[in-house]
């Protein structure tokens, strides 16, 4: 997984009715875009350091806008 600041981290729910969660990547602390990431979560506004696991993926700002428009 590779990201740049301004990308969005999407976390899919592990179970059928689990909510999806997304936040903007503010800082990339790994080398060459690798985790960990500092993320500001949309649902709470909090900032956390995240090492994504399965069910997570990175979207660009453009991909996120397209998703919101559907």
């Amino acid at each position: 997984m590779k990201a740049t600041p301004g990308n969005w981290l999407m976390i899919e729910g592990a179970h059928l009715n689990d909510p999806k969660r997304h936040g903007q990547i503010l800082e990339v602390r790994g080398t060459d875009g690798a985790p960990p990431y500092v993320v500001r979560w949309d649902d709470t506004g909090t900032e956390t350091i995240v090492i994504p696991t399965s069910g997570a993926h990175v979207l660009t700002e453009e991909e996120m806008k397209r998703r919101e428009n559907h």
Side-chain angles (χ1 to χ4, degrees), residues 1 18 22 33 37 54:
M1 180 174 295
D18 286 350
H22 61 277
Y37 305 130
S54 63

Side-chain angles (χ1 to χ4, degrees), residues 12-19:
E12 303 291 336
H15 301 97
L16 181 60
N17 291 322
D18 286 350

Side-chain angles (χ1 to χ4, degrees), residues 7-9 21-27 37-50:
N7 287 158
W8 289 81
L9 182 65
R21 194 167 191 214
H22 61 277
Q24 190 164 36
I25 297 172
L26 304 177
E27 184 180 336
Y37 305 130
V38 177
V39 176
R40 181 183 308 123
W41 297 105
D42 264 10
D43 58 350
T44 62
T46 58
E47 294 178 13
T48 59
I49 296 173
V50 180

Side-chain angles (χ1 to χ4, degrees), residues 43-64:
D43 58 350
T44 62
T46 58
E47 294 178 13
T48 59
I49 296 173
V50 180
I51 299 173
T53 59
S54 63
H57 55 276
V58 173
L59 297 174
T60 64
E61 183 76 30
E62 202 169 285
E63 291 169 324
M64 186 67 177

